[in-house]
Structure formats: C-alpha cells, structure tokens
Amino acid sequence: MKRQIQDLLNTALRQVAAAGPLAADLPAPQVERTKDPSHGDFATNVALALSKPARQRPRDLAERLVAALPATPLIERVEIAGPGFINFFIAPAAYRALVPEILASGPDYGRSRLGAGRRVQVEFVSANPTGPLHVGHGRGAAYGAVVADLLAAVGYEVHREYYVNDAGRQMDILATSIWLRYLELCGEAFDFPSNGYKGDYVWDIAAALHREHGDDYRCDATDLFRGICPDEPAGGDKEAHIDALIARAKRSLGDNRYRFVFELGLNTILDDIRSDLAEFGVEYQEWYSERSLTESGAVNRAIARLHAAGQVYERDGAQWFRSSAFGDEKDRVLVRENGQSTYFASDIAYHMDKLERGFDRVIDVWGADHHGYVPRVKAALTALGDDASRLDVLLVQFAILYRQGERVQMSTRSGEFVTLRELRREVGRDAARFFYVMRRCEQHLDFDLDLARSQSADNPVYYVQYAHARIASVLRQGAERGIPLEPTRGTEHLARLEEPHEQTLLRSLSRYPEIVEGAALAAEPHQLTQYLRELANDFHTYYNAHQFLVDDVALRDARIKLILAVRQVLRNGLALIGVSAPEAM
C-alpha cells in the first residue's frame, strides 16, 4: 500500500511539475504510516519539502497535489492537515482485498523485485578455525543469515560467504597445541604453554592423531623445550614462548609432518564449524580460503597496486601502507622485516578480490571489537582506486549469556566457553535464532537461557509460534466438526469483518511487505521480529475476544479466511528468520 501511494504521488508530482516551476526529476516522496488513526493510515510531508522550489505555500501546493491524484479504489479519502501534511485514509475494501491476495501469494507474500539485477555478497561468521563456535559467534551467524535472506526476499542476488582464516600465527598455535597434547598422550611430561589452546577439542584431535599414528610423531620433551625462553608463569613472555615452540615444532617435525598436524587441526575444526552452522540453518555458497590469496598471487598483486599508486614506503626493513592519508589513525605494516606479509595485507587482497568479482555491494558482518579495522580496510580500497562505498561493515556485539541470573564466561583459548551447539541443545534452534536478532546488531544482547526455555507469553519466540499453533488448533477443531475450511471459501463475505480487532489485524497484515523491505534495506532483522510479536499480539487479542467457528456461516467463513491469512504471514516471517511454525505446542 505504501508503494502504491508513492506511485500515486509521483503521478501527481509530474502533473504539477509540468505546470511549473518544479523540476521534472523530483526526489521520491516520503510516505510514512501514521501513529494516530485520526490522521489517516499514511501521511506525507512532500508539500512542505517542495514548497520552496515550487515557490508556493505548503498548503497551497498540497491542494494542487491532492487535486492531481489519480482516482483509485485504494483510497477512501485524502485530507490536508496543519501547514500542509497530506493524510491518506485507506478504503476498508482495500484492506479486505489483502486477505485473498495473501492466500494466493502464499510464501511469496511480502517478497518483491526491489533489488532485481543487483548482486550482494554477505560475508559473516568467518571465525578462526581454532575451536568450536561459541555463543558469541552464534549472534553473528543468525544476524548475517537473516540479513542475507531478507535481501534475497526483496530481489537481490545474494552470495553468502565464509572467509576461512587458514593461515597465520593462530593456526600455528593451534597446530602446536595439538602436537603438544599428542606428546602428553605419548607419555611425555612438561608444562603446557599458557598461550596454547586448552579446550577439550584439542585433546580430541590429539587423541585421533595418536590412535592413527601411535608414536610416529613423538619426540623427547626435554630436547623439545631445551633452550626455549621461559613462559609467563615462570617470569617470561608467553608470546615469545609460544612462538619459540612453534618454530621448534616445525623444525622437529619437518615440513611434511608439521603440515599434516596443521591440516588435521584445520580440517577437523572446519568440518565441525560447517556441521554446526548447517544445523543452525546457516548455509554458504562459498568457503573462501585465506591461503588461496597467497597461492593465487592476490596478496602480491594488491601490494604491487599500492606501490604503483605511491602509497607504500619502507621503514625499519618493513613495507608500510600510508593508511593515515586516507582517514586511518596511523600507517599499517603490509610486509614485516622478515619478508612475511601481514594479515592486513591478506585482508586488502580479499576485499580487492570481492570487488573484482563484480558485486554491487559487499557486506561484512564483524564483531564489534573489530571496529578499528573498518577505516583501514576502506583506506586500502580507496588507495587501490576502488569505490570504498561499495563496502558496508556491520558490527555485531557479542551476546552475553546468562544462566540462572549469572553471566557465563567465554574464552576460546582457555577452553572455558559455551558452544553454539550446547546452546542449541539447551534452548533449541528456534529460540536461539529468534533471540539473536531481536536487537539492533550494535546493541548488547543479554541472552537469558531461562526465558528462552520458558513456555510463556514473556518468551517472544514462544508467543509468536503459539499464535500459529492456535490457528492450527482452530482449523483442526473445524475439521473435526465437519466444517469446510477451504481457502477458496469466504471471499464474498469478507465485508463481515467489521469488529475493531479484525480491522486491527487487517492493518497489521498490510504492513508486512513494508516491514520486509525496511528490514532488508536497513539490515535490521529486529524490525521483523518486532512486527511478528505485534502481529501475534493482535491475533491473541482477537482470539481471546471472539469465536471463529460460529453458527453464522458467512461470518465464520470470513473469520476463517482472515486467520488463514494471519497464519501465512506468520509462516513467512518466521521462515525469514530461520524459525519453524509449529502446528501444535
């Protein structure tokens, strides 16, 4: 309805502009739903916004626009209010006509072709494959997945991607941690490094290595640790200690055996992440390897392009990017003094590659702790001569998990964390998905496990799903009583929907396409969850106030038709956030 009114206003604007002095290429008029029903259903301030270029008083311009509006059965009447606001009152028949439209459209109701012909890449989660996904990663997974699905729902071609950080120091720490646990299983005794990965999953991978290869990868721990700088508990530097152990592991094992341990850790954890996300309802078109950037020469090519642009200089044996010239707080190292390229260099190459693949828009979903990284990546794209505005970085605050009122601590390195898989087992996939997207991504999220498990109106996902289940219950009761409930019946009786609760529901149903479009364009899934809660509330209120299976056949058929439309919209909205629509609860 909102788009139809915008189209009507555009027609009126063109007619008024033809008479002068307005320009023909006017911006699209802003149309909003009113908060006060006495002001109509929709309103626009276009007359106030254009009064100056039109050289007319806003109210006079509003009168000209209203006179130029094409006739339509959509609108019952139009009023001019205050200094020049135009208020539109939708005809009741137009609201009733939505019911058969919703039922005919089915799963497609609310979808559009708004973004047709435009390609968007959404990269999300991309957690280092150094351990299982925890509940913090879960929020990024749910948020990224719903943003991608919303964009697809309004017509964009969406490419979902996971960037696999399968190179670099953290992966070396993981490989070394696995090997050290393996040595313990072989009977070697030593103090495990404080900066190693300590989770049970590291033991599991080490045990698999030991089962398959026995003592083939064993070495004497005394020789291994001889000459290694002390760890932090012994008064040393934990970073230097783990780096020295990595170097010693590579030398002791040799290239082939070290690579085997490295790949075993990477592939075991990555397979677990793939499975975990699939069970969470998150699928990707591509798992993009960081190592492929080096192997394909993309990293060297990106650095060469920055050199050619005059944006790289040498200092202390390292190569630096002049990122401060493009708004970053300081310059950044691209190649260290030892000749190794940095993670930042790989990230530049990755984003260069994204834009080269022809996406009209690139969306990165990052944890909020990476906010400082945004200006340097955009700086690099600008320095490369690319359009940095094509990159949007959406920052997601980690969820804070509470159980029985107490905060649960999480740390991947120590191994003391709640995994996403454990969360799903405790509260279910539906509750996890819904709770994760109930707030703006930049807002902190307190995830209350007790609330998520509860079967009460206070639990938002239960409240919405219960509305769907209640409708299914009404339909079952009708079938048991032999009442015909076909969606094709009742259209001719929709005028009987005269109760205030029914009018409220019809208005709520009409909002759904606007909600989907707004949530997609703003990357705000919480708009959809809030709408579903409001629609469920409108239905529960209606359910508690009225009978549906009444003796009056015409009224009964009209009400059944209405709740079938509510059921469809609940299903469509829940599907977009990856939540089921149960028939019984």
Side-chain angles (χ1 to χ4, degrees):
M1 289 182 173
K2 179 178 178 179
R3 190 166 297 281
Q4 290 175 274
I5 291 175
Q6 287 175 322
D7 291 341
L8 293 170
L9 275 171
N10 279 326
T11 300
L13 279 168
R14 285 193 295 269
Q15 182 175 327
V16 170
L22 286 173
D25 55 341
L26 294 168
Q30 295 299 308
V31 176
E32 301 296 338
R33 283 190 177 266
T34 61
K35 295 181 180 179
D36 185 345
S38 67
H39 296 160
D41 298 282
F42 294 91
T44 180
N45 67 346
V46 63
L48 284 80
L50 297 179
S51 63
K52 188 172 183 179
R55 297 197 290 274
Q56 280 189 292
R57 292 192 308 127
R59 195 171 181 90
D60 293 340
L61 179 57
E63 290 174 352
R64 291 180 64 195
L65 288 171
V66 170
L69 285 170
T72 173
L74 174 69
I75 299 173
E76 183 178 52
R77 70 181 190 276
V78 182
E79 294 180 355
I80 299 172
F85 292 100
I86 303 174
N87 297 335
F88 297 86
F89 293 78
I90 301 299
Y95 278 120
R96 294 194 297 268
L98 281 173
V99 174
E101 178 188 339
I102 291 168
L103 296 178
S105 300
D108 290 331
Y109 180 69
R111 293 179 174 269
S112 72
R113 301 294 295 159
L114 178 70
R118 302 195 68 204
R119 299 177 65 226
V120 179
Q121 186 219 43
V122 183
E123 182 231 320
F124 59 108
V125 184
S126 299
N128 288 342
T130 54
L133 297 177
H134 57 60
V135 295
H137 298 129
R139 189 179 187 191
Y143 175 75
V146 179
V147 166
D149 289 348
L150 283 167
L151 288 168
V154 295
Y156 289 89
E157 180 186 339
V158 180
H159 182 86
R160 301 160 181 83
E161 188 159 298
Y162 189 115
Y163 182 54
V164 181
N165 303 114
D166 52 5
R169 182 170 178 264
Q170 293 306 316
M171 292 305 301
D172 282 328
I173 294 175
L174 174 68
T176 301
S177 299
I178 291 169
W179 185 53
L180 291 174
R181 290 304 192 198
Y182 161 85
L183 292 179
E184 290 180 326
L185 292 170
C186 291
E188 299 293 331
F190 51 86
D191 292 328
F192 193 83
S194 61
N195 215 22
Y197 285 98
K198 303 182 180 70
D200 289 343
Y201 64 94
V202 177
W203 279 106
D204 293 339
I205 300 171
L209 177 64
H210 189 256
R211 281 194 305 272
E212 292 293 325
H213 297 278
D215 286 358
D216 292 350
Y217 288 74
R218 184 174 184 174
C219 82
D220 183 270
T222 302
D223 292 338
L224 176 66
F225 280 83
R226 183 175 291 115
I228 294 289
C229 55
D231 200 356
E232 188 173 67
D237 184 331
K238 65 179 181 179
E239 303 293 348
H241 182 72
I242 193 67
D243 285 343
L245 282 173
I246 291 169
R248 188 67 57 86
K250 291 179 177 180
R251 188 161 60 250
S252 299
L253 288 170
D255 289 344
N256 290 338
R257 294 198 303 163
Y258 179 80
R259 179 54 54 184
F260 181 86
V261 176
F262 185 101
E263 295 289 343
L264 177 64
L266 168 65
N267 292 329
T268 300
I269 293 175
L270 195 56
D271 286 347
D272 183 73
I273 289 174
R274 290 178 193 266
S275 173
D276 213 4
L277 288 171
E279 291 172 11
F280 197 45
V282 178
E283 300 284 354
Y284 293 90
Q285 278 75 51
E286 186 165 0
W287 295 72
Y288 194 104
S289 166
E290 178 189 352
R291 279 187 293 179
S292 71
L293 293 167
T294 301
E295 294 165 358
S296 68
V299 174
N300 289 336
R301 187 161 56 86
I303 294 173
R305 282 181 61 182
L306 290 173
H307 267 288
Q311 302 302 335
V312 178
Y313 63 92
E314 292 194 12
R315 188 178 74 201
D316 300 328
Q319 296 183 41
W320 295 71
F321 165 50
R322 301 181 193 276
S323 54
S324 60
F326 299 90
D328 194 10
E329 60 183 1
K330 63 181 180 180
D331 293 347
R332 307 290 175 176
V333 177
L334 295 175
V335 182
R336 299 185 184 93
E337 59 275 9
N338 62 4
Q340 293 291 317
S341 59
T342 61
Y343 179 84
F344 180 47
S346 295
D347 224 20
I348 294 173
Y350 179 44
H351 286 84
M352 176 187 74
D353 176 79
K354 289 186 182 197
L355 298 186
E356 288 178 346
R357 281 186 269 164
F359 296 112
D360 297 289
R361 183 184 178 195
V362 169
I363 297 174
D364 288 356
V365 179
W366 293 351
D369 54 334
H370 287 77
H371 67 92
Y373 211 73
V374 178
R376 73 189 72 166
V377 173
K378 284 184 171 285
L381 290 176
T382 302
L384 287 169
D386 290 322
D387 182 2
S389 68
R390 289 163 62 190
L391 169 65
D392 289 324
V393 180
L394 307 177
L395 299 175
V396 179
Q397 290 285 351
F398 278 174
I400 301 173
L401 189 67
Y402 287 88
R403 181 185 287 113
Q404 296 179 349
E406 295 186 2
R407 181 172 175 172
V408 179
Q409 299 298 323
M410 291 176 292
S411 168
T412 308
R413 187 68 59 81
S414 70
E416 297 174 359
F417 58 89
V418 178
T419 66
L420 178 58
R421 184 169 291 132
E422 289 170 333
L423 176 69
R424 287 202 323 274
R425 289 171 180 167
E426 185 163 348
V427 304
R429 169 174 147 177
D430 286 346
R433 290 280 302 234
F434 199 101
F435 270 61
Y436 273 136
V437 297
M438 283 197 311
R439 301 280 183 271
R440 294 179 184 272
C441 64
E442 66 271 19
Q443 289 182 320
H444 287 282
L445 174 65
D446 292 342
F447 197 117
D448 187 333
L449 290 169
D450 302 313
L451 177 61
R453 286 195 307 268
S454 69
Q455 295 187 357
S456 71
D458 293 330
N459 180 350
V461 66
Y462 178 86
Y463 190 66
V464 174
Q465 289 179 316
Y466 187 45
H468 185 275
R470 268 184 155 179
I471 295 171
S473 175
V474 171
L475 300 178
R476 284 195 298 271
Q477 292 173 37
E480 291 167 1
R481 292 165 53 180
I483 297 173
L485 302 172
E486 298 89 351
T488 54
R489 292 174 57 93
T491 302
E492 66 274 21
H493 303 306
L494 291 175
R496 297 291 303 277
L497 299 175
E498 299 172 327
E499 295 289 342
H501 292 120
E502 292 162 344
Q503 298 301 308
T504 298
L505 266 179
L506 287 168
R507 284 172 170 77
S508 293
L509 293 174
S510 74
R511 292 173 51 217
Y512 180 68
E514 301 162 31
I515 293 296
V516 173
E517 181 179 306
L521 296 182
E524 293 184 345
H526 73 275
Q527 291 188 27
L528 180 54
T529 59
Q530 181 60 36
Y531 167 81
L532 290 172
R533 294 170 73 177
E534 291 169 359
L535 177 61
N537 181 69
D538 291 341
F539 171 76
H540 287 307
T541 304
Y542 181 41
Y543 181 95
N544 293 332
H546 299 280
Q547 294 292 318
F548 303 138
L549 304 179
V550 294
D551 293 334
D552 184 333
V553 175
L555 180 59
R556 181 189 68 206
D557 287 349
R559 287 181 173 175
I560 292 299
K561 197 88 167 183
L562 174 59
I563 67 171
L564 284 171
V566 173
R567 180 182 69 168
Q568 187 64 63
V569 172
L570 287 172
R571 283 180 176 176
N572 292 0
L574 287 170
L576 277 177
I577 54 177
V579 174
S580 67
E583 296 289 314
M585 296 180 69

